[in-house]
Amino acid sequence: MYKIFVNPKDLTLYVDENKSLLECLTENDLYIKSSCGGHANCTDCVIKIQDGTDNVNEPTFAETQLLGNVFHITKERLACQCFVKGEITVDISNHDKASDEQRRQNKSKKVSSSIRLRKKSEVDEIINERKEKALKKRESRDEATWEKHWEKDPSSRPKKLGGGMRPKKIKEIPEYSDKKEDQE
Ligand code: FES
């Protein structure tokens, strides 16, 4: 068991070296935000080791993938990946349950206010309006279009260009064939 000081709560706890800091803190009724359940996926459980940085395990591979290799500069660790092996002071000031809940409520309020339920009659009206618009658009396009204009006026039918035919066989030139025989 190792002694840890928790700031800004001014608490002293004794934690088990085989348990992660996240487990130890939550077991002692301290709120640490976590969405992945301690599987090093969310980075919500970030805490700061204020003192005793040598008394915690080296950052795990999963942790460095998320936070980068900057622990010695930022002193930030994922609580779920951090195991204590000596006395430390930890700062959990960015984990405030009340403000997190408030933020969550605001989010759900925003979503619910942005969803507007329409009555069936309103929906039908909108559908009819759209259909009318589409019909008008199609009609105007039919008048203006130049596509297949020969169907409207057969005299303006485009000429056939004679494509897709086999090339004619080239006739042999008599003079040329005589010269060829002389050479042989
Ligand atoms: S709890 Fe999600 S990364 Fe630690």
Side-chain angles (χ1 to χ4, degrees):
M1 292 287 248
Y2 295 108
K3 198 162 126 182
I4 66 167
F5 300 101
V6 185
N7 278 334
K9 307 261 178 193
D10 280 334
L11 270 175
T12 307
L13 303 174
Y14 289 90
V15 299
D16 190 345
E17 59 194 304
N18 298 318
K19 284 184 180 174
S20 69
L21 252 184
L22 178 71
E23 285 173 293
C24 300
L25 294 170
T26 46
E27 273 174 14
N28 283 288
D29 294 330
L30 290 170
Y31 173 74
I32 302 289
K33 195 181 170 194
S34 152
S35 341
C36 71
H39 293 285
N41 272 327
C42 65
T43 70
D44 283 346
C45 64
V46 171
I47 45 133
K48 213 167 194 176
I49 310 288
Q50 284 180 325
D51 219 3
T53 46
D54 295 334
N55 293 337
V56 288
N57 64 322
E58 280 293 308
T60 59
F61 177 72
E63 192 175 354
T64 43
Q65 291 273 302
L66 291 172
L67 297 185
N69 203 6
V70 286
F71 167 62
H72 296 291
I73 301 161
T74 58
K75 312 276 186 234
E76 284 181 344
R77 290 290 307 261
L78 294 179
C80 65
Q81 301 298 305
C82 190
F83 292 85
V84 180
K85 51 182 187 181
E87 213 174 277
I88 61 164
T89 304
V90 65
D91 177 19
I92 59 163
S93 54
N94 53 346
H95 296 275
D96 183 16
K97 195 174 184 180
S99 70
D100 274 354
E101 259 167 26
Q102 185 67 40
R103 210 173 299 139
R104 211 172 298 139
Q105 276 176 3
N106 288 348
K107 245 188 202 174
S108 58
K109 257 185 211 169
K110 259 186 202 171
V111 170
S112 60
S113 65
S114 65
I115 296 171
R116 200 184 135 218
L117 290 175
R118 288 195 171 106
K119 287 177 193 166
K120 175 105 177 55
S121 59
E122 275 181 311
V123 173
D124 288 343
E125 208 173 288
I126 291 167
I127 289 171
N128 284 336
E129 233 172 67
R130 281 184 188 166
K131 273 183 186 170
E132 270 172 34
K133 255 189 193 176
L135 254 174
K136 269 184 195 170
K137 203 176 174 184
R138 198 180 300 157
E139 276 168 16
S140 67
R141 206 192 311 142
D142 280 350
E143 279 167 21
T145 187
W146 56 270
E147 274 179 290
K148 292 190 178 178
H149 54 86
W150 53 87
E151 280 175 9
K152 292 172 201 162
D153 177 17
S155 65
S156 68
R157 197 178 186 82
K159 278 183 191 174
K160 272 197 174 180
L161 296 175
M165 290 165 78
R166 279 190 184 178
K168 281 178 190 171
K169 201 180 171 186
I170 301 168
K171 282 177 193 168
E172 249 180 37
I173 305 163
E175 275 175 44
Y176 180 74
S177 57
D178 288 347
K179 274 181 191 172
K180 229 181 174 184
E181 275 170 24
D182 290 345
Q183 277 175 4
E184 284 170 0

